Amino acid sequence: MYQLIKPLFFQFDPEKVHYFVVKRLKWFHDHFPLGQTILRSSFDVNIKGLERDVFGIKFKNPVGLAAGFDKNGEYIEALSNLGFGFIEVGTVTPLPQPGNDKPRMFRLEEDAAIINRMGFNNKGVDTLAERLRLLRAKNTEIVIGGNIGKNKNTPNEDAVSDYIKCFDRLFDVVDYFVVNVSSPNTPGLRELQEKEPLMNLLNTLQQRNRKNDISRPILLKIAPDLTNEQLDDIVEIVLETGIAGVIATNTTIDRSGLHTPEQVANETGGLSGKPLTIRSTEVVRYLSQKSNKAFPIIGVGGIHSPQDAKDKLEAGASLVQLYTGFIYEGPGIIKRICKALV
């Protein structure tokens, strides 16, 4: 069904189509009398043997939705009924911000890829926290991750305070945190991946984390463009700070090997989709082997088929996440992956 209507969707601006689809999915879920039942019977994954216990959290299956798809936590329930084992919201910043100028999302159909330069557009952490509080009051079963970042106008020397604000505000309503210092769409953000500022940021959050009666797993999301020496630093930083794990990887700034005409392929922003499949798996494998599997890894990047997901898991990932593959292949890919894993 999805493959029949996808050509129609792909005739329109990708950002406009995104919101058109998810808003109607939410309406169908919330208002159509049998909406939830229909979604669950069509897509939900009710297969034994898929459960995973990772960094102290029980996941009903290992296939999650990556951050960026539902930045403000507006569509969590409807999306969870498509079969996802967990939903990651954000990236969220302390203050609302509009993001970069439009157009800021581009399809590369020849490469089954997307370039985006959204720029952390979101309604701010207070809005997200209140929405999640209301959701938690009626549904505690959905595993939710909170992906946190800094506002564009916050200088890097003050970035830690932005992450602390988001961490404190979301602490009671998310199951785990993701520290995003790897988006290429906020000027200077990737500089926070350097060893000294990253150690400071993660140690500060861990100190905050340990002061609570309970603690939340903190993960670090890294870029696929890091060198092996930088990945060695990441392993050392994760082990020294004691954070829960790594998400590998974010979007790439590399444009090599693309088939899409340069006019689109050279748009500024982060590239996701099939061109990232091999590199993201390489990063997962390198981190897993270098650390001797000392911490969990969530593999994300270019998962368009069950085999892509299996490759990530066999490389050392404990869980996987979808975004661009979900757009190109449709919601049925979640169940197909889960069936293949069993």
Side-chain angles (χ1 to χ4, degrees):
M1 174 70 77
Y2 181 77
Q3 296 304 320
L4 292 176
I5 61 176
K6 185 176 76 170
L8 176 62
F9 289 157
F10 276 31
Q11 294 299 311
F12 300 96
D13 176 80
E15 185 173 356
K16 291 180 179 178
V17 167
H18 172 83
Y19 287 112
F20 175 86
V21 172
V22 293
K23 285 179 179 178
R24 275 142 191 85
L25 177 67
K26 177 178 170 57
W27 178 87
F28 182 76
H29 174 276
D30 292 348
H31 300 291
F32 193 72
L34 297 177
Q36 295 186 35
T37 302
I38 292 173
L39 288 174
R40 287 174 180 165
S41 62
S42 301
F43 298 107
D44 196 21
V45 178
N46 186 20
I47 305 172
K48 292 183 178 180
L50 287 173
E51 297 83 1
R52 299 287 192 278
D53 198 327
V54 185
F55 37 79
I57 299 173
K58 184 168 288 186
F59 297 83
K60 67 178 183 179
N61 73 62
V63 183
L65 180 64
F69 197 93
D70 187 6
K71 294 175 183 290
N72 299 300
E74 296 172 281
Y75 314 107
I76 294 173
E77 285 189 291
L79 289 168
S80 68
N81 282 327
L82 298 180
F84 286 112
F86 58 108
I87 306 284
E88 191 171 306
V89 296
T91 298
V92 67
T93 56
L95 299 175
Q97 58 182 31
N100 295 320
D101 293 339
K102 299 177 182 179
R104 53 193 181 182
M105 184 179 287
F106 309 88
R107 296 188 197 92
L108 286 67
E109 293 188 51
E110 295 91 336
D111 296 291
I114 289 175
I115 291 173
N116 92 83
R117 51 170 180 263
M118 304 300 288
F120 288 174
N121 57 305
N122 73 103
K123 297 178 181 178
V125 72
D126 287 339
T127 297
L128 176 59
E130 178 60 18
R131 184 170 287 123
L132 293 181
R133 185 188 68 80
L134 294 174
L135 174 62
R136 289 302 198 194
K138 60 179 180 177
N139 189 328
T140 60
E141 295 181 358
I142 303 172
V143 175
I144 301 172
N147 189 302
I148 59 177
K150 78 173 188 72
N151 280 113
K152 180 179 180 179
N153 294 330
T154 301
N156 279 359
E157 54 267 28
D158 298 328
V160 173
S161 63
D162 273 17
Y163 286 92
I164 288 174
K165 289 173 186 174
C166 292
F167 182 84
D168 288 349
R169 193 71 179 86
L170 295 178
F171 188 87
D172 292 329
V173 291
V174 300
D175 297 290
Y176 69 88
F177 283 96
V178 179
V179 176
N180 188 351
V181 291
S182 53
S183 170
N185 301 320
T186 295
L189 183 72
R190 284 190 168 193
E191 295 171 8
L192 295 176
Q193 290 182 118
E194 296 299 324
K195 190 171 183 179
E196 184 176 345
L198 189 53
M199 284 285 290
N200 178 48
L201 171 58
L202 295 177
N203 276 324
T204 301
L205 290 175
Q206 279 290 68
Q207 291 168 9
R208 205 113 181 148
N209 202 16
R210 295 182 182 119
K211 288 181 180 179
N212 297 293
D213 293 334
I214 58 172
S215 60
R216 301 287 186 216
I218 298 175
L219 291 89
L220 173 67
K221 189 164 188 175
I222 63 171
D225 309 306
L226 299 180
T227 64
N228 284 350
E229 291 75 17
Q230 289 173 311
L231 291 175
D232 292 342
D233 286 342
I234 294 297
V235 171
E236 183 179 338
I237 288 168
V238 172
L239 295 177
E240 286 190 18
T241 59
I243 64 170
V246 170
I247 296 185
T249 63
N250 211 320
T251 57
T252 181
I253 56 175
D254 183 27
R255 297 293 190 270
S256 59
L258 297 179
H259 301 93
T260 300
E262 290 185 1
Q263 183 178 1
V264 177
N266 289 335
E267 287 284 356
T268 302
L271 175 74
S272 61
K274 281 190 176 182
L276 195 53
T277 304
I278 294 175
R279 177 54 186 165
S280 60
T281 303
E282 288 175 348
V283 173
V284 170
R285 181 175 290 108
Y286 188 91
L287 293 174
S288 178
Q289 293 178 350
K290 193 71 177 182
S291 68
N292 197 25
K293 300 182 179 180
F295 49 81
I297 300 168
I298 298 180
V300 55
I303 299 177
H304 286 245
S305 70
Q307 187 60 51
D308 294 334
K310 291 172 73 173
D311 289 345
K312 291 279 193 297
L313 295 168
E314 290 169 2
S318 301
L319 306 165
V320 296
Q321 288 179 324
L322 308 177
Y323 190 134
T324 303
F326 179 55
I327 293 171
Y328 274 90
E329 309 302 329
I333 189 175
I334 306 159
K335 182 175 285 189
R336 291 199 298 274
I337 290 173
C338 288
K339 286 182 176 181
L341 295 180
V342 171

